[in-house]
Amino acid sequence: MQAKGRGFPNWGYMLLGVLAFAAFCFFKNMGQQTLMKAMLGEPADLIAKAMSSARVSPRITSRTGRITAKNFKVENLNAKKDSLVFRFLLDGERADAAIKIWMTKRPSGNWEIVRSDTLFTE
C-alpha cells in the first residue's frame, strides 16, 4: 500500500500563482500612482495625468517612437512648499524625452502646471 503524500496540494500552487499575478498587475498599473500619491499628496493626480498624456502625445511620439519605459524624479521635495519641480523621462524606440514640469499651488489650493520643457536625446 502506498503512503499518502503530505506535500503541498496542487490547488495551493495554483492559488499562490494567481495571487502573485494579481500582485504583479496591481503594482504594474497602480503602484507608481500609489507611490506618487504617498510622496506628493495633492499634486500627484495632476502629475499622473501629465505623464499619461505625454506617453501618447503625437508631438513626442513622432520623435521618440513607441514609449518603452518611464521614470520620474521630484526635485526639492518638501511638504510645505507651494511650488514643485518634477521631471520624468520617457524612453522611446528611436530617442528619449526628458520632460520637466514646474508646478505651483494657487491661493485657491489647486495645483497648476505653470511651465513645461521637453528635451529630446537620441
Side-chain angles (χ1 to χ4, degrees):
M1 185 178 230
Q2 198 172 20
K4 187 175 181 182
R6 295 194 180 246
F8 199 69
N10 288 341
W11 62 267
Y13 289 115
M14 293 289 286
L15 181 63
L16 286 175
V18 168
L19 288 174
F21 181 72
F24 169 77
C25 288
F26 172 77
F27 285 114
K28 185 175 188 313
N29 296 325
M30 298 298 294
Q32 185 177 22
Q33 288 180 354
T34 305
L35 178 65
M36 284 191 338
K37 189 73 169 173
M39 279 179 24
L40 302 174
E42 293 177 40
D45 294 331
L46 185 60
I47 292 170
K49 191 174 172 183
M51 287 176 68
S52 63
S53 65
R55 288 186 74 163
V56 295
S57 168
R59 184 181 68 83
I60 294 174
T61 55
S62 67
R63 296 190 57 184
T64 62
R66 189 176 64 86
I67 302 298
T68 58
K70 64 181 176 180
N71 193 2
F72 65 94
K73 178 183 178 183
V74 179
E75 297 176 1
N76 302 328
L77 181 62
N78 188 347
K80 296 182 180 181
K81 289 186 111 175
D82 60 350
S83 63
L84 180 67
V85 178
F86 186 82
R87 179 185 314 212
F88 59 95
L89 309 169
L90 300 173
D91 296 336
E93 292 174 331
R94 295 189 310 261
D96 298 337
I99 301 167
K100 192 172 187 179
I101 298 174
W102 288 265
M103 300 176 68
T104 187
K105 189 173 186 177
R106 297 293 180 198
S108 64
N110 295 331
W111 283 89
E112 228 177 73
I113 296 174
V114 292
R115 182 174 169 221
S116 67
D117 187 22
T118 305
L119 176 67
F120 294 99
T121 57
E122 301 246 352

